[in-house]
PDB file of all heavy atoms in Angstrom:
ATOM      1  N   ASP A   3       0.839  -1.268  -0.106  1.00 89.00           N
ATOM      2  CA  ASP A   3      -0.018  -0.028  -0.018  1.00 89.00           C
ATOM      3  C   ASP A   3       0.722   1.175  -0.005  1.00 89.00           C
ATOM      4  O   ASP A   3       0.376   2.362  -0.673  1.00 89.00           O
ATOM      5  CB  ASP A   3      -0.978  -0.019   1.254  1.00 89.00           C
ATOM      6  CG  ASP A   3      -1.826  -1.171   1.229  1.00 89.00           C
ATOM      7  OD1 ASP A   3      -2.132  -1.760   0.022  1.00 89.00           O
ATOM      8  OD2 ASP A   3      -2.323  -1.548   2.353  1.00 89.00           O
ATOM      9  N   TYR A   4       2.065   1.254   0.617  1.00 90.00           N
ATOM     10  CA  TYR A   4       2.802   2.444   0.733  1.00 90.00           C
ATOM     11  C   TYR A   4       4.195   2.314   0.036  1.00 90.00           C
ATOM     12  O   TYR A   4       5.204   2.855   0.528  1.00 90.00           O
ATOM     13  CB  TYR A   4       3.108   2.834   2.281  1.00 90.00           C
ATOM     14  CG  TYR A   4       1.732   3.100   3.028  1.00 90.00           C
ATOM     15  CD1 TYR A   4       1.166   1.969   3.787  1.00 90.00           C
ATOM     16  CD2 TYR A   4       1.144   4.238   3.008  1.00 90.00           C
ATOM     17  CE1 TYR A   4      -0.067   2.201   4.420  1.00 90.00           C
ATOM     18  CE2 TYR A   4      -0.152   4.483   3.683  1.00 90.00           C
ATOM     19  CZ  TYR A   4      -0.668   3.446   4.330  1.00 90.00           C
ATOM     20  OH  TYR A   4      -1.860   3.672   5.126  1.00 90.00           O
ATOM     21  N   VAL A   5       4.293   1.473  -1.084  1.00 91.00           N
ATOM     22  CA  VAL A   5       5.635   1.357  -1.553  1.00 91.00           C
ATOM     23  C   VAL A   5       6.025   2.497  -2.252  1.00 91.00           C
ATOM     24  O   VAL A   5       7.347   2.771  -2.082  1.00 91.00           O
ATOM     25  CB  VAL A   5       5.470   0.010  -2.616  1.00 91.00           C
ATOM     26  CG1 VAL A   5       4.366   0.432  -3.712  1.00 91.00           C
ATOM     27  CG2 VAL A   5       6.836  -0.228  -3.214  1.00 91.00           C
ATOM     28  N   TYR A   6       5.245   3.296  -2.879  1.00 93.00           N
ATOM     29  CA  TYR A   6       5.888   4.539  -3.463  1.00 93.00           C
ATOM     30  C   TYR A   6       6.179   5.622  -2.477  1.00 93.00           C
ATOM     31  O   TYR A   6       7.330   6.181  -2.641  1.00 93.00           O
ATOM     32  CB  TYR A   6       4.766   5.088  -4.527  1.00 93.00           C
ATOM     33  CG  TYR A   6       4.515   4.367  -5.708  1.00 93.00           C
ATOM     34  CD1 TYR A   6       3.320   3.628  -5.836  1.00 93.00           C
ATOM     35  CD2 TYR A   6       5.542   4.099  -6.561  1.00 93.00           C
ATOM     36  CE1 TYR A   6       3.020   2.863  -6.928  1.00 93.00           C
ATOM     37  CE2 TYR A   6       5.335   3.263  -7.820  1.00 93.00           C
ATOM     38  CZ  TYR A   6       4.006   2.731  -7.862  1.00 93.00           C
ATOM     39  OH  TYR A   6       3.888   1.876  -8.987  1.00 93.00           O
ATOM     40  N   PRO A   7       5.486   5.902  -1.401  1.00 91.00           N
ATOM     41  CA  PRO A   7       6.055   6.804  -0.461  1.00 91.00           C
ATOM     42  C   PRO A   7       7.296   6.201   0.277  1.00 91.00           C
ATOM     43  O   PRO A   7       8.245   6.953   0.622  1.00 91.00           O
ATOM     44  CB  PRO A   7       4.898   6.928   0.693  1.00 91.00           C
ATOM     45  CG  PRO A   7       3.730   6.618  -0.111  1.00 91.00           C
ATOM     46  CD  PRO A   7       4.067   5.664  -1.100  1.00 91.00           C
ATOM     47  N   PHE A   8       7.441   4.959   0.500  1.00 90.00           N
ATOM     48  CA  PHE A   8       8.596   4.273   1.015  1.00 90.00           C
ATOM     49  C   PHE A   8       9.775   4.551   0.074  1.00 90.00           C
ATOM     50  O   PHE A   8      10.898   4.924   0.558  1.00 90.00           O
ATOM     51  CB  PHE A   8       8.317   2.947   1.305  1.00 90.00           C
ATOM     52  CG  PHE A   8       9.463   2.087   1.871  1.00 90.00           C
ATOM     53  CD1 PHE A   8       9.845   2.324   3.216  1.00 90.00           C
ATOM     54  CD2 PHE A   8      10.234   1.263   1.146  1.00 90.00           C
ATOM     55  CE1 PHE A   8      10.882   1.643   3.705  1.00 90.00           C
ATOM     56  CE2 PHE A   8      11.414   0.681   1.602  1.00 90.00           C
ATOM     57  CZ  PHE A   8      11.700   0.845   2.941  1.00 90.00           C
ATOM     58  N   GLU A   9       9.603   4.322  -1.255  1.00 93.00           N
ATOM     59  CA  GLU A   9      10.725   4.561  -2.078  1.00 93.00           C
ATOM     60  C   GLU A   9      11.135   6.015  -2.210  1.00 93.00           C
ATOM     61  O   GLU A   9      12.344   6.367  -2.361  1.00 93.00           O
ATOM     62  CB  GLU A   9      10.381   3.995  -3.517  1.00 93.00           C
ATOM     63  CG  GLU A   9      10.033   2.482  -3.578  1.00 93.00           C
ATOM     64  CD  GLU A   9      11.374   1.669  -3.320  1.00 93.00           C
ATOM     65  OE1 GLU A   9      12.486   2.350  -3.700  1.00 93.00           O
ATOM     66  OE2 GLU A   9      11.275   0.606  -2.968  1.00 93.00           O
ATOM     67  N   ILE A  10      10.158   6.972  -2.254  1.00 95.00           N
ATOM     68  CA  ILE A  10      10.459   8.342  -2.184  1.00 95.00           C
ATOM     69  C   ILE A  10      11.248   8.750  -0.984  1.00 95.00           C
ATOM     70  O   ILE A  10      12.225   9.435  -1.011  1.00 95.00           O
ATOM     71  CB  ILE A  10       9.233   9.122  -2.370  1.00 95.00           C
ATOM     72  CG1 ILE A  10       8.605   9.006  -3.648  1.00 95.00           C
ATOM     73  CG2 ILE A  10       9.517  10.700  -2.213  1.00 95.00           C
ATOM     74  CD1 ILE A  10       7.102   9.655  -3.854  1.00 95.00           C
ATOM     75  N   ALA A  11      10.895   8.229   0.209  1.00 93.00           N
ATOM     76  CA  ALA A  11      11.695   8.515   1.430  1.00 93.00           C
ATOM     77  C   ALA A  11      13.077   8.066   1.327  1.00 93.00           C
ATOM     78  O   ALA A  11      13.990   8.566   1.751  1.00 93.00           O
ATOM     79  CB  ALA A  11      10.896   7.978   2.589  1.00 93.00           C
ATOM     80  N   ALA A  12      13.203   6.825   0.768  1.00 92.00           N
ATOM     81  CA  ALA A  12      14.546   6.154   0.702  1.00 92.00           C
ATOM     82  C   ALA A  12      15.432   7.065  -0.319  1.00 92.00           C
ATOM     83  O   ALA A  12      16.550   7.220   0.009  1.00 92.00           O
ATOM     84  CB  ALA A  12      14.416   4.721   0.071  1.00 92.00           C
ATOM     85  N   VAL A  13      14.857   7.572  -1.294  1.00 95.00           N
ATOM     86  CA  VAL A  13      15.655   8.410  -2.257  1.00 95.00           C
ATOM     87  C   VAL A  13      15.990   9.648  -1.558  1.00 95.00           C
ATOM     88  O   VAL A  13      17.098  10.241  -1.674  1.00 95.00           O
ATOM     89  CB  VAL A  13      14.813   8.587  -3.623  1.00 95.00           C
ATOM     90  CG1 VAL A  13      15.498   9.680  -4.480  1.00 95.00           C
ATOM     91  CG2 VAL A  13      14.720   7.372  -4.290  1.00 95.00           C
ATOM     92  N   ILE A  14      15.047  10.331  -0.814  1.00 96.00           N
ATOM     93  CA  ILE A  14      15.386  11.463  -0.207  1.00 96.00           C
ATOM     94  C   ILE A  14      16.480  11.369   0.913  1.00 96.00           C
ATOM     95  O   ILE A  14      17.467  12.099   1.024  1.00 96.00           O
ATOM     96  CB  ILE A  14      13.990  12.063   0.549  1.00 96.00           C
ATOM     97  CG1 ILE A  14      13.062  12.525  -0.446  1.00 96.00           C
ATOM     98  CG2 ILE A  14      14.383  13.251   1.467  1.00 96.00           C
ATOM     99  CD1 ILE A  14      11.743  12.986  -0.024  1.00 96.00           C
ATOM    100  N   LEU A  15      16.434  10.285   1.647  1.00 92.00           N
ATOM    101  CA  LEU A  15      17.550   9.913   2.618  1.00 92.00           C
ATOM    102  C   LEU A  15      18.882   9.721   1.751  1.00 92.00           C
ATOM    103  O   LEU A  15      19.889  10.047   2.215  1.00 92.00           O
ATOM    104  CB  LEU A  15      17.109   8.751   3.253  1.00 92.00           C
ATOM    105  CG  LEU A  15      15.958   8.854   4.442  1.00 92.00           C
ATOM    106  CD1 LEU A  15      15.689   7.576   5.088  1.00 92.00           C
ATOM    107  CD2 LEU A  15      16.444   9.969   5.434  1.00 92.00           C
ATOM    108  N   LEU A  16      18.845   9.043   0.634  1.00 94.00           N
ATOM    109  CA  LEU A  16      20.137   8.806  -0.086  1.00 94.00           C
ATOM    110  C   LEU A  16      20.602  10.172  -0.582  1.00 94.00           C
ATOM    111  O   LEU A  16      21.848  10.353  -0.380  1.00 94.00           O
ATOM    112  CB  LEU A  16      19.771   7.947  -1.281  1.00 94.00           C
ATOM    113  CG  LEU A  16      20.949   7.625  -2.208  1.00 94.00           C
ATOM    114  CD1 LEU A  16      22.106   6.914  -1.397  1.00 94.00           C
ATOM    115  CD2 LEU A  16      20.647   6.758  -3.306  1.00 94.00           C
ATOM    116  N   VAL A  17      19.819  11.021  -1.001  1.00 95.00           N
ATOM    117  CA  VAL A  17      20.320  12.366  -1.403  1.00 95.00           C
ATOM    118  C   VAL A  17      20.921  13.088  -0.281  1.00 95.00           C
ATOM    119  O   VAL A  17      21.893  13.860  -0.441  1.00 95.00           O
ATOM    120  CB  VAL A  17      19.149  13.091  -2.084  1.00 95.00           C
ATOM    121  CG1 VAL A  17      19.534  14.575  -2.352  1.00 95.00           C
ATOM    122  CG2 VAL A  17      18.714  12.407  -3.425  1.00 95.00           C
ATOM    123  N   ALA A  18      20.143  13.003   0.868  1.00 92.00           N
ATOM    124  CA  ALA A  18      20.676  13.767   1.984  1.00 92.00           C
ATOM    125  C   ALA A  18      22.080  13.243   2.517  1.00 92.00           C
ATOM    126  O   ALA A  18      22.938  13.977   2.835  1.00 92.00           O
ATOM    127  CB  ALA A  18      19.660  13.621   3.236  1.00 92.00           C
ATOM    128  N   ILE A  19      22.366  11.851   2.487  1.00 90.00           N
ATOM    129  CA  ILE A  19      23.586  11.322   2.797  1.00 90.00           C
ATOM    130  C   ILE A  19      24.732  11.785   1.818  1.00 90.00           C
ATOM    131  O   ILE A  19      25.761  12.234   2.143  1.00 90.00           O
ATOM    132  CB  ILE A  19      23.567   9.736   2.775  1.00 90.00           C
ATOM    133  CG1 ILE A  19      22.654   9.269   3.894  1.00 90.00           C
ATOM    134  CG2 ILE A  19      24.903   9.156   2.894  1.00 90.00           C
ATOM    135  CD1 ILE A  19      22.336   7.905   3.876  1.00 90.00           C
ATOM    136  N   VAL A  20      24.411  11.605   0.455  1.00 91.00           N
ATOM    137  CA  VAL A  20      25.344  12.210  -0.590  1.00 91.00           C
ATOM    138  C   VAL A  20      25.598  13.728  -0.351  1.00 91.00           C
ATOM    139  O   VAL A  20      26.744  14.114  -0.513  1.00 91.00           O
ATOM    140  CB  VAL A  20      24.879  11.974  -1.927  1.00 91.00           C
ATOM    141  CG1 VAL A  20      25.721  12.424  -2.914  1.00 91.00           C
ATOM    142  CG2 VAL A  20      24.685  10.405  -2.114  1.00 91.00           C
ATOM    143  N   ALA A  21      24.598  14.479  -0.027  1.00 89.00           N
ATOM    144  CA  ALA A  21      24.873  15.935   0.171  1.00 89.00           C
ATOM    145  C   ALA A  21      25.679  16.150   1.422  1.00 89.00           C
ATOM    146  O   ALA A  21      26.535  17.069   1.339  1.00 89.00           O
ATOM    147  CB  ALA A  21      23.452  16.652   0.251  1.00 89.00           C
ATOM    148  N   ALA A  22      25.483  15.462   2.478  1.00 83.00           N
ATOM    149  CA  ALA A  22      26.260  15.656   3.599  1.00 83.00           C
ATOM    150  C   ALA A  22      27.752  15.219   3.432  1.00 83.00           C
ATOM    151  O   ALA A  22      28.621  15.941   3.850  1.00 83.00           O
ATOM    152  CB  ALA A  22      25.659  14.826   4.852  1.00 83.00           C
ATOM    153  N   ILE A  23      27.976  14.181   2.727  1.00 83.00           N
ATOM    154  CA  ILE A  23      29.401  13.837   2.310  1.00 83.00           C
ATOM    155  C   ILE A  23      29.985  14.825   1.426  1.00 83.00           C
ATOM    156  O   ILE A  23      31.170  15.243   1.629  1.00 83.00           O
ATOM    157  CB  ILE A  23      29.380  12.472   1.626  1.00 83.00           C
ATOM    158  CG1 ILE A  23      28.797  11.392   2.652  1.00 83.00           C
ATOM    159  CG2 ILE A  23      30.754  12.170   1.185  1.00 83.00           C
ATOM    160  CD1 ILE A  23      28.743  10.012   2.119  1.00 83.00           C
ATOM    161  N   ALA A  24      29.180  15.396   0.417  1.00 82.00           N
ATOM    162  CA  ALA A  24      29.729  16.396  -0.475  1.00 82.00           C
ATOM    163  C   ALA A  24      30.031  17.689   0.235  1.00 82.00           C
ATOM    164  O   ALA A  24      31.082  18.385  -0.070  1.00 82.00           O
ATOM    165  CB  ALA A  24      28.711  16.686  -1.559  1.00 82.00           C
ATOM    166  N   LEU A  25      29.254  18.031   1.268  1.00 80.00           N
ATOM    167  CA  LEU A  25      29.518  19.233   1.958  1.00 80.00           C
ATOM    168  C   LEU A  25      30.664  19.219   2.904  1.00 80.00           C
ATOM    169  O   LEU A  25      31.453  20.184   3.104  1.00 80.00           O
ATOM    170  CB  LEU A  25      28.314  19.770   2.814  1.00 80.00           C
ATOM    171  CG  LEU A  25      27.119  20.139   1.912  1.00 80.00           C
ATOM    172  CD1 LEU A  25      25.900  20.426   2.992  1.00 80.00           C
ATOM    173  CD2 LEU A  25      27.442  21.512   1.199  1.00 80.00           C
ATOM    174  N   THR A  26      30.994  18.059   3.499  1.00 72.00           N
ATOM    175  CA  THR A  26      32.166  17.780   4.290  1.00 72.00           C
ATOM    176  C   THR A  26      33.347  17.467   3.722  1.00 72.00           C
ATOM    177  O   THR A  26      34.428  17.690   4.262  1.00 72.00           O
ATOM    178  CB  THR A  26      31.772  16.787   5.442  1.00 72.00           C
ATOM    179  OG1 THR A  26      31.479  15.630   4.742  1.00 72.00           O
ATOM    180  CG2 THR A  26      30.702  17.281   6.290  1.00 72.00           C
ATOM    181  N   LEU A  27      33.321  16.903   2.422  1.00 69.00           N
ATOM    182  CA  LEU A  27      34.616  16.396   1.640  1.00 69.00           C
ATOM    183  C   LEU A  27      35.137  17.619   0.976  1.00 69.00           C
ATOM    184  O   LEU A  27      34.806  17.925  -0.211  1.00 69.00           O
ATOM    185  CB  LEU A  27      34.077  15.303   0.822  1.00 69.00           C
ATOM    186  CG  LEU A  27      35.410  14.613   0.112  1.00 69.00           C
ATOM    187  CD1 LEU A  27      36.291  13.996   1.114  1.00 69.00           C
ATOM    188  CD2 LEU A  27      34.847  13.564  -0.864  1.00 69.00           C
ATOM    189  N   ARG A  28      35.963  18.399   1.582  1.00 66.00           N
ATOM    190  CA  ARG A  28      36.552  19.620   1.033  1.00 66.00           C
ATOM    191  C   ARG A  28      38.142  19.392   1.151  1.00 66.00           C
ATOM    192  O   ARG A  28      38.651  19.061   2.202  1.00 66.00           O
ATOM    193  CB  ARG A  28      36.129  20.833   1.727  1.00 66.00           C
ATOM    194  CG  ARG A  28      34.644  21.208   1.628  1.00 66.00           C
ATOM    195  CD  ARG A  28      34.281  22.425   2.300  1.00 66.00           C
ATOM    196  NE  ARG A  28      32.828  22.725   2.342  1.00 66.00           N
ATOM    197  CZ  ARG A  28      32.232  23.765   2.964  1.00 66.00           C
ATOM    198  NH1 ARG A  28      33.045  24.650   3.645  1.00 66.00           N
ATOM    199  NH2 ARG A  28      31.015  23.903   2.884  1.00 66.00           N
ATOM    200  N   HIS A  29      38.667  19.690  -0.036  1.00 64.00           N
ATOM    201  CA  HIS A  29      40.139  19.708  -0.022  1.00 64.00           C
ATOM    202  C   HIS A  29      40.756  20.865   0.502  1.00 64.00           C
ATOM    203  O   HIS A  29      40.708  21.975  -0.088  1.00 64.00           O
ATOM    204  CB  HIS A  29      40.709  19.348  -1.526  1.00 64.00           C
ATOM    205  CG  HIS A  29      40.133  18.068  -2.108  1.00 64.00           C
ATOM    206  ND1 HIS A  29      40.607  16.833  -1.709  1.00 64.00           N
ATOM    207  CD2 HIS A  29      39.248  17.927  -2.987  1.00 64.00           C
ATOM    208  CE1 HIS A  29      39.985  15.906  -2.394  1.00 64.00           C
ATOM    209  NE2 HIS A  29      39.117  16.473  -3.241  1.00 64.00           N
ATOM    210  N   ARG A  30      41.469  20.840   1.623  1.00 64.00           N
ATOM    211  CA  ARG A  30      42.164  21.931   2.187  1.00 64.00           C
ATOM    212  C   ARG A  30      43.697  21.709   2.028  1.00 64.00           C
ATOM    213  O   ARG A  30      44.210  20.582   2.226  1.00 64.00           O
ATOM    214  CB  ARG A  30      41.836  22.028   3.715  1.00 64.00           C
ATOM    215  CG  ARG A  30      40.283  22.180   3.965  1.00 64.00           C
ATOM    216  CD  ARG A  30      40.018  22.236   5.479  1.00 64.00           C
ATOM    217  NE  ARG A  30      38.629  22.399   5.702  1.00 64.00           N
ATOM    218  CZ  ARG A  30      38.057  22.422   6.997  1.00 64.00           C
ATOM    219  NH1 ARG A  30      38.838  22.208   7.985  1.00 64.00           N
ATOM    220  NH2 ARG A  30      36.794  22.537   7.121  1.00 64.00           N
ATOM    221  N   LYS A  31      44.339  22.910   1.875  1.00 67.00           N
ATOM    222  CA  LYS A  31      45.813  22.775   1.579  1.00 67.00           C
ATOM    223  C   LYS A  31      46.496  22.548   2.890  1.00 67.00           C
ATOM    224  O   LYS A  31      47.590  22.106   2.780  1.00 67.00           O
ATOM    225  CB  LYS A  31      46.203  24.191   0.961  1.00 67.00           C
ATOM    226  CG  LYS A  31      45.555  24.417  -0.448  1.00 67.00           C
ATOM    227  CD  LYS A  31      46.095  25.812  -1.041  1.00 67.00           C
ATOM    228  CE  LYS A  31      45.507  25.964  -2.356  1.00 67.00           C
ATOM    229  NZ  LYS A  31      45.912  27.284  -2.889  1.00 67.00           N
ATOM    230  N   ASP A  32      45.866  22.986   4.033  1.00 65.00           N
ATOM    231  CA  ASP A  32      46.628  22.809   5.230  1.00 65.00           C
ATOM    232  C   ASP A  32      46.456  21.543   6.006  1.00 65.00           C
ATOM    233  O   ASP A  32      46.890  21.261   7.069  1.00 65.00           O
ATOM    234  CB  ASP A  32      46.166  23.955   6.282  1.00 65.00           C
ATOM    235  CG  ASP A  32      44.773  23.953   6.446  1.00 65.00           C
ATOM    236  OD1 ASP A  32      44.131  23.429   5.631  1.00 65.00           O
ATOM    237  OD2 ASP A  32      44.324  24.677   7.307  1.00 65.00           O
ATOM    238  N   SER A  33      45.638  20.573   5.307  1.00 65.00           N
ATOM    239  CA  SER A  33      45.444  19.233   5.972  1.00 65.00           C
ATOM    240  C   SER A  33      45.733  18.186   4.957  1.00 65.00           C
ATOM    241  O   SER A  33      45.732  18.287   3.698  1.00 65.00           O
ATOM    242  CB  SER A  33      43.923  19.251   6.292  1.00 65.00           C
ATOM    243  OG  SER A  33      43.072  19.260   5.102  1.00 65.00           O
ATOM    244  N   ARG A  34      46.266  17.097   5.499  1.00 69.00           N
ATOM    245  CA  ARG A  34      46.645  16.002   4.707  1.00 69.00           C
ATOM    246  C   ARG A  34      45.447  14.954   4.564  1.00 69.00           C
ATOM    247  O   ARG A  34      44.619  14.760   5.417  1.00 69.00           O
ATOM    248  CB  ARG A  34      47.801  15.161   5.379  1.00 69.00           C
ATOM    249  CG  ARG A  34      49.071  16.058   5.708  1.00 69.00           C
ATOM    250  CD  ARG A  34      50.044  15.254   6.374  1.00 69.00           C
ATOM    251  NE  ARG A  34      50.491  14.121   5.540  1.00 69.00           N
ATOM    252  CZ  ARG A  34      51.333  13.230   6.011  1.00 69.00           C
ATOM    253  NH1 ARG A  34      51.971  13.304   7.122  1.00 69.00           N
ATOM    254  NH2 ARG A  34      51.779  12.248   5.235  1.00 69.00           N
ATOM    255  N   TYR A  35      45.248  14.555   3.264  1.00 67.00           N
ATOM    256  CA  TYR A  35      44.262  13.655   3.024  1.00 67.00           C
ATOM    257  C   TYR A  35      44.757  12.445   2.123  1.00 67.00           C
ATOM    258  O   TYR A  35      45.808  12.550   1.548  1.00 67.00           O
ATOM    259  CB  TYR A  35      43.076  14.306   2.311  1.00 67.00           C
ATOM    260  CG  TYR A  35      43.346  14.940   1.068  1.00 67.00           C
ATOM    261  CD1 TYR A  35      43.303  14.238  -0.161  1.00 67.00           C
ATOM    262  CD2 TYR A  35      43.977  16.266   0.935  1.00 67.00           C
ATOM    263  CE1 TYR A  35      43.535  14.836  -1.483  1.00 67.00           C
ATOM    264  CE2 TYR A  35      44.321  16.880  -0.327  1.00 67.00           C
ATOM    265  CZ  TYR A  35      44.052  16.131  -1.477  1.00 67.00           C
ATOM    266  OH  TYR A  35      44.389  16.654  -2.535  1.00 67.00           O
ATOM    267  N   ILE A  36      43.868  11.430   2.023  1.00 73.00           N
ATOM    268  CA  ILE A  36      44.378  10.241   1.220  1.00 73.00           C
ATOM    269  C   ILE A  36      43.550  10.182  -0.070  1.00 73.00           C
ATOM    270  O   ILE A  36      42.365  10.415  -0.060  1.00 73.00           O
ATOM    271  CB  ILE A  36      43.917   9.034   2.162  1.00 73.00           C
ATOM    272  CG1 ILE A  36      44.795   8.929   3.466  1.00 73.00           C
ATOM    273  CG2 ILE A  36      44.291   7.686   1.319  1.00 73.00           C
ATOM    274  CD1 ILE A  36      44.600   7.854   4.276  1.00 73.00           C
ATOM    275  N   ASP A  37      44.281   9.931  -1.043  1.00 74.00           N
ATOM    276  CA  ASP A  37      43.649   9.825  -2.420  1.00 74.00           C
ATOM    277  C   ASP A  37      43.484   8.345  -2.745  1.00 74.00           C
ATOM    278  O   ASP A  37      44.477   7.669  -3.062  1.00 74.00           O
ATOM    279  CB  ASP A  37      44.411  10.523  -3.420  1.00 74.00           C
ATOM    280  CG  ASP A  37      43.752  10.525  -4.784  1.00 74.00           C
ATOM    281  OD1 ASP A  37      42.585  10.016  -4.880  1.00 74.00           O
ATOM    282  OD2 ASP A  37      44.286  11.248  -5.758  1.00 74.00           O
TER     283      ASP A  37
END
C-alpha cells in the first residue's frame, strides 16, 4: 500500500547522505588527506 512513499523517502535519505558527504569532503591545503 505504501511502496511509493517508502521509495520516495529512501531516495530523499540517499540524497541527504550524498549531500552531507559532499559538503564535508573539502580539499584543504593545510590538511593531509588520502587519495
Side-chain angles (χ1 to χ4, degrees):
D3 298 340
Y4 301 98
V5 60
Y6 291 113
F8 179 74
E9 294 293 336
I10 293 173
V13 172
I14 293 175
L15 289 176
L16 178 61
V17 172
I19 293 173
V20 174
I23 295 174
L25 290 175
T26 56
L27 188 62
R28 297 178 180 177
H29 297 288
R30 299 179 180 177
K31 297 180 180 180
D32 56 346
S33 62
R34 301 178 62 184
Y35 62 92
I36 298 175
D37 189 357

